[in-house]
Amino acid sequence: MRLNLLLLFCLLNLSVSAQMRPRELGIKIGVLPTGKRNAITDVAGVRVGQVTLIEGADIRTGVTAIIPHSGNLFQEKVPAAIYIGNGFGKLAGYSQVEELGTIETPVVLTNTLNVPTASDAIIDWTLGQKGNENVRSVNPVVGETNDAFLNDIRGRHVKKEHVLNALAQAEGGAVQEGNVGAGTGTVCFGWKGGIGTSSRVLSQKLGGYTVGVLVQTNFGGVLKVNGVPVGEELGKYSFKESLDKSSDGSCMMIIATDAPLDARNLKRLAKRVMLGMAQTGGIAANGSGDYVIAFSTANRVLHEAAEPTFSASYLHNDYVSPLFLAAIESTEEAIINSLFMAKTSEGTQGHKVEELPKDKVLEIMRKYGRLKK
C-alpha cells in the first residue's frame, strides 16, 4: 500500500513538473525582473478572461479576452496602436485604432472564422454597459489565429455567449497558459502551442514601469529557447525536408504597459514585440498573420470632452528604450511559456499534435550551459 502511494505521489509530481513554466525549470530569459505573476495582469487594472471549448473529437477552440481597465472602456478609452508584422490575418478594428490612436473595447482573441461572432458579442457587451445608452458606433477589436488542424473550424463553435462569458469572468489574477481559451487548438513550431504570458518591471531609476505581454501562438520557424537552437537539435523545424507550408500560421501579441505612452510610441513599442517573436525563431511566413496590439493604461481619453483641448503627460522619446527591451523579453518568454505549458492534443479528423518534449529541451539547454539549476 505504501509503495502504491509513493508511486502515485511520484506520478503526480511528474505530471506537475511536466507543466512547469520554463523559469521554474531554470530557464531564465532576459535580464530584467518579472512582475509578481510574470503575466500581462502585472500591469495594474488589466484583466484576462478565457473560455475553453473541448467537446467530442472535433471541437478544440475558445476565447481569450483582455480588458485594459475596470471602468467604462468606451467612455474612457486607452491610448493604443497596432503593428502588422505580416498581414495574412483577419484582425477586426484596425483602421480606427490606426486613425484615432485609442482602443474603446476589450481585445478578444479567438479562431479565424469566429471573428464576426466575437465582434458582435463585444458590441452587445459595450452597448449594455451603464452610461452607454446613447452609443451608436462601436469599434470592436478582435484578433485570431487559424486552429483548423485540431478544430472543426467550419463548425464555428464559438458563440456570443462564450465571448460574453470570457468577458464576464475576466480578472486580474494569474493567467492560465497552454491549451486554454483562444490557444486551445493552436500549433507552434510543429508542437502544441497556446496562450502564453510574461511581464517585466523596470527599476525606479528607469521609471518603475511595468510591461506585460499575452500571446496566442500558432506559427512556425526554427525554435530557439533563450538563444539555444532547440528546433535544430530536435530535428523539427520548417523546411527541414522540403519547401512546404509548415511555417505558416499566426501569432497574436497583446502588449500592455502603465508607462505614459502616446499612440506613436506605442506603435514603436509594438514593433519591438516582433523582435521578441524573432528571438524564438519565428519567421513571419507568407501565410502568417502576425499582429501586435499595444495599449497604455496611464492616460484615459474621454469619449465626451467638456473642453476642446486636453492635456496629458507622456514619456519623452529619450526614455522609452528600456521599455523596448522589456517588450522584447516579455514576448520571447510569453511564447516559450505557451509551449512549455501546452499539452499534447488530439482533435478533428484524428489529428494529433505533441507537446514540446520538455525533458529533451532541458537536456539541450544543459548541453549549451543555459540551465540555471
Side-chain angles (χ1 to χ4, degrees):
M1 179 68 173
R2 183 177 298 176
L3 181 61
N4 288 339
L5 288 173
L6 179 62
L7 180 60
L8 177 61
F9 178 78
C10 292
L11 288 173
L12 286 172
N13 276 350
L14 283 172
S15 177
V16 171
S17 65
Q19 299 307 320
M20 293 172 68
R21 300 174 96 183
R23 190 168 286 265
E24 298 174 286
L25 296 169
I27 301 174
K28 181 177 178 292
I29 295 174
V31 298
L32 297 173
T34 71
K36 180 180 178 180
R37 302 179 187 88
N38 193 16
I40 194 172
T41 49
D42 286 322
V43 178
V46 175
R47 294 176 292 151
V48 175
Q50 303 193 82
V51 167
T52 301
L53 299 178
I54 299 177
E55 298 176 21
D58 296 318
I59 302 176
R60 302 289 185 273
T61 192
V63 179
T64 298
I66 303 97
I67 306 179
H69 64 71
S70 59
N72 187 320
L73 188 53
F74 185 89
Q75 299 295 336
E76 298 180 38
K77 309 174 198 303
V78 292
I82 297 175
Y83 179 70
I84 302 175
N86 193 70
F88 201 134
K90 287 73 187 171
L91 174 68
Y94 167 77
S95 64
Q96 184 172 308
V97 176
E98 176 71 10
E99 186 70 22
L100 302 182
T102 59
I103 282 179
E104 63 188 25
T105 71
V107 176
V108 168
L109 306 178
T110 187
N111 72 60
T112 306
L113 296 186
N114 276 121
V115 170
T117 301
S119 297
D120 198 16
I122 292 175
I123 293 171
D124 279 0
W125 184 86
T126 302
L127 295 180
Q129 287 197 304
K130 185 177 180 180
N132 292 348
E133 292 80 9
N134 295 320
V135 171
R136 298 290 184 268
S137 172
V138 180
N139 184 45
V141 178
V142 182
E144 55 78 29
T145 69
N146 193 309
D147 56 16
F149 187 75
L150 288 173
N151 176 51
D152 169 32
I153 195 168
R154 287 174 60 91
R156 292 180 284 179
H157 300 286
V158 173
K159 306 302 181 185
K160 284 171 62 174
E161 57 263 32
H162 299 132
V163 181
L164 293 171
N165 189 12
L167 291 166
Q169 63 178 279
E171 58 183 7
V175 178
Q176 281 190 296
E177 298 173 295
N179 309 38
V180 295
T184 303
T186 62
V187 183
C188 187
F189 293 111
W191 287 283
K192 184 66 189 73
I195 296 296
T197 189
S198 184
S199 69
R200 294 295 185 272
V201 179
L202 300 183
S203 67
Q204 289 302 314
K205 185 178 179 180
L206 297 175
Y209 304 118
T210 299
V211 171
V213 172
L214 182 143
V215 297
Q216 176 193 20
T217 60
N218 193 49
F219 63 96
V222 186
L223 175 62
K224 291 182 181 179
V225 178
N226 206 17
V228 174
V230 168
E232 188 175 353
E233 287 279 349
L234 293 175
K236 188 171 185 176
Y237 51 89
S238 299
F239 313 127
K240 181 175 184 292
E241 301 296 338
S242 62
L243 290 176
D244 57 22
K245 297 183 69 175
S246 60
S247 66
D248 285 350
S250 296
C251 189
M252 288 300 310
M253 295 159 276
I254 315 303
I255 179 166
T257 184
D258 57 8
L261 301 182
D262 60 7
R264 180 182 56 81
N265 266 326
L266 282 167
K267 176 157 282 192
R268 297 180 71 205
L269 188 69
K271 291 177 181 178
R272 272 63 181 187
V273 168
M274 289 299 298
L275 297 180
M277 178 184 173
Q279 292 274 68
T280 68
I283 62 173
N286 173 70
S288 194
D290 304 311
Y291 296 88
V292 185
I293 302 173
F295 63 83
S296 167
T297 62
N299 292 301
R300 299 185 187 181
V301 181
L302 298 181
H303 177 65
E304 295 184 353
E307 301 292 338
T309 62
F310 72 98
S311 61
S313 296
Y314 291 106
L315 201 61
H316 193 284
N317 291 338
D318 291 346
Y319 293 85
V320 298
S321 291
L323 295 169
F324 293 165
L325 178 60
I328 294 168
E329 289 189 6
S330 297
T331 304
E332 180 181 3
E333 185 162 352
I335 291 171
I336 300 304
N337 282 346
S338 78
L339 286 160
F340 269 73
M341 297 303 287
K343 301 177 183 179
T344 297
S345 179
E346 295 185 43
T348 190
Q349 300 178 53
H351 292 161
K352 183 177 181 179
V353 181
E354 300 285 346
E355 64 191 79
L356 186 71
K358 271 80 77 174
D359 290 342
K360 291 183 180 179
V361 172
L362 293 177
E363 289 176 10
I364 295 168
M365 300 302 291
R366 190 173 292 109
K367 169 184 171 182
Y368 281 81
R370 302 305 300 273
L371 202 62
K372 297 299 181 182
K373 64 177 181 178

